Amino acid sequence: MARKKLDTLTEPMYYVLLSLVEERHGYGVMQYASQLTGGRVAIGAGTLYALLDRFERDGLIIRTRLEDNRKYYRLTADGRKVLEEEFDRLRRQVADGECVLKGRRMP
């Protein structure tokens, strides 16, 4: 069965969208993701700018302004919906893992 578009997000995709809950420029997105995860997630420039372009084309983010040669972006309502759906999917995976690994009974 074919996956529907953005049914699941990669880790860089998730953190780019999460970073754009607030308006940020590209380099600010890379810094925020790294700071938020204690350096565990490092998004490279090539990956970042490819994702920004894709997300903008898909209507998940919008470019808000250009200042000092920096493009600023933020989530759209559709982008927030995709991000929240991924958050819920990840939360369900963690709950499943807790059931198995911690010996808890299944709901």
Side-chain angles (χ1 to χ4, degrees):
M1 173 183 258
R3 260 192 214 180
K4 66 181 180 179
K5 194 173 186 179
L6 292 180
D7 194 29
T8 60
L9 301 178
T10 64
E11 190 171 65
M13 292 169 122
Y14 179 78
Y15 281 101
V16 167
L17 292 177
L18 190 61
S19 298
L20 292 173
V21 166
E22 295 181 8
E23 182 187 57
R24 288 191 169 78
H25 55 77
Y27 184 65
V29 169
M30 289 191 296
Q31 289 178 310
Y32 183 79
S34 180
Q35 290 172 346
L36 181 65
T37 64
R40 184 179 51 80
V41 174
I43 302 169
T47 299
L48 173 70
Y49 291 106
L51 288 175
L52 291 174
D53 183 55
R54 176 182 177 183
F55 290 159
E56 189 174 18
R57 276 193 329 265
D58 290 348
L60 302 181
I61 65 172
I62 187 169
R63 190 177 324 162
T64 55
R65 61 190 164 110
L66 178 63
E67 185 177 299
D68 296 328
N69 223 16
R70 291 181 171 177
K71 296 174 186 173
Y72 286 76
Y73 303 89
R74 68 171 169 75
L75 278 182
T76 63
D78 286 344
R80 184 162 188 113
K81 182 178 181 210
V82 166
L83 180 60
E84 288 176 352
E85 287 171 355
E86 181 66 4
F87 178 78
D88 289 341
R89 185 187 74 80
L90 293 170
R91 188 173 25 206
R92 287 189 304 272
Q93 284 184 318
V94 168
D96 293 343
E98 285 180 337
C99 283
V100 173
L101 297 172
K102 304 290 184 185
R104 296 186 180 149
R105 294 189 0 223
M106 293 177 30

